């Protein structure tokens, strides 16, 4: 299975202090690193950002977040809506733009867990320290009603959304305990060291 890939890049990057999707990471931007790191495992890649075309200059086609400023739930809803309209019903890989190890080792457990999916399963995500670590994750369009409900009912929380039915936990790759992300410049510097 090669699902379409959506990279959430519409956040405000408050803790980072600048647009982290454009931050330099080993000679390319974080967004490009994520897009290129997963390219061999997906059909196509789209960034979800504030405005259509925001990251086209980086070689990543960008669609506009349907609900800008409402966080990752809004980005997920945008990704699943686009998936349904352009590829029909099915699974999508959704990741964040701040992954510092965008490699197939983070996709293999998700795809392996997919074999355990039931007809009502709609999300396959990592879980660590009693918290969901949702990106990268596999999300099915059949979860759209749950996503829209969570988006309309504050607090808008991925944790609250994933506590519901139809969510499967994937085991972290060997030697890992959390998905590696850079929410601050210090974390990015540590990942590059």
């Amino acid at each position: 299975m090669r699902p379409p890939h959506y990279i959430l890049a519409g956040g405000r990057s408050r803790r980072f202090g600048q647009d982290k999707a454009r931050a330099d990471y080993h000679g390319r931007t974080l967004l490009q690193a994520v897009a290129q790191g997963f390219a061999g495992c997906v059909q196509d890649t789209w960034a979800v950002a504030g405005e259509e075309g925001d990251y086209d200059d980086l070689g990543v086609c960008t669609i506009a977040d349907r609900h800008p400023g409402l966080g990752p739930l809004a980005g997920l809803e945008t990704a699943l809506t686009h998936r349904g309209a352009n590829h029909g019903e099915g699974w999508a890989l959704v990741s964040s733009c701040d992954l510092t190890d965008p490699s197939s080792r983070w996709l293999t457990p998700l795809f392996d867990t997919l074999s355990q999916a039931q007809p009502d399963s709609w999300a396959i995500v990592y879980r660590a320290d009693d918290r969901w670590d949702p990106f990268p994750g596999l999300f099915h369009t059949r979860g759209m009603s749950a996503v829209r409900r969570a988006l309309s009912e504050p607090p808008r929380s991925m944790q609250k959304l994933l506590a519901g039915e139809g969510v499967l936990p994937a085991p972290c790759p060997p030697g890992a305990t959390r998905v590696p992300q850079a929410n601050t410049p210090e974390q990015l510097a540590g990942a590059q060291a």
Side-chain angles (χ1 to χ4, degrees), residues 7-30:
I7 306 171
L8 305 186
R12 295 188 186 117
S13 301
R14 284 182 288 231
R15 288 183 284 175
F16 204 85
Q18 67 182 42
D19 182 357
K20 63 182 168 182
R22 291 185 180 275
D24 180 73
Y25 187 62
H26 297 296
R28 55 189 171 174
T29 66
L30 268 172

Side-chain angles (χ1 to χ4, degrees), residues 53-145:
D54 273 355
Y55 298 109
D56 287 3
D57 63 306
L58 300 180
V60 182
C61 292
T62 309
I63 58 175
D65 193 327
R66 292 165 39 92
H67 311 280
L70 294 186
L73 272 174
L76 176 58
E77 194 270 346
T78 298
L80 290 178
T81 298
H82 187 273
R83 200 282 186 225
N86 293 275
H87 298 281
E89 299 295 305
W91 293 94
L93 173 67
V94 182
S95 62
S96 59
C97 69
D98 58 3
L99 294 174
T100 57
D101 181 20
S103 64
S104 61
R105 75 184 287 247
W106 286 98
L107 300 185
T108 300
L110 297 173
F111 290 129
D112 288 349
T113 303
L114 185 59
S115 67
Q116 304 166 27
Q118 301 297 312
D120 63 343
S121 299
W122 65 270
I124 299 171
V125 294
Y126 291 104
R127 186 165 174 81
D129 301 328
D130 293 326
R131 284 185 57 79
W132 295 103
D133 224 350
F135 306 116
L138 290 172
F139 297 88
H140 197 283
T141 51
R142 74 173 65 96
M144 184 65 85
S145 60

Side-chain angles (χ1 to χ4, degrees), residues 148-175:
R148 287 184 173 151
R149 190 167 46 254
L151 189 57
S152 68
E153 299 172 355
R156 296 176 188 92
S157 163
M158 286 297 298
Q159 298 300 314
K160 180 179 163 186
L161 169 68
L162 296 171
E165 299 289 323
V167 179
L168 296 176
C172 284

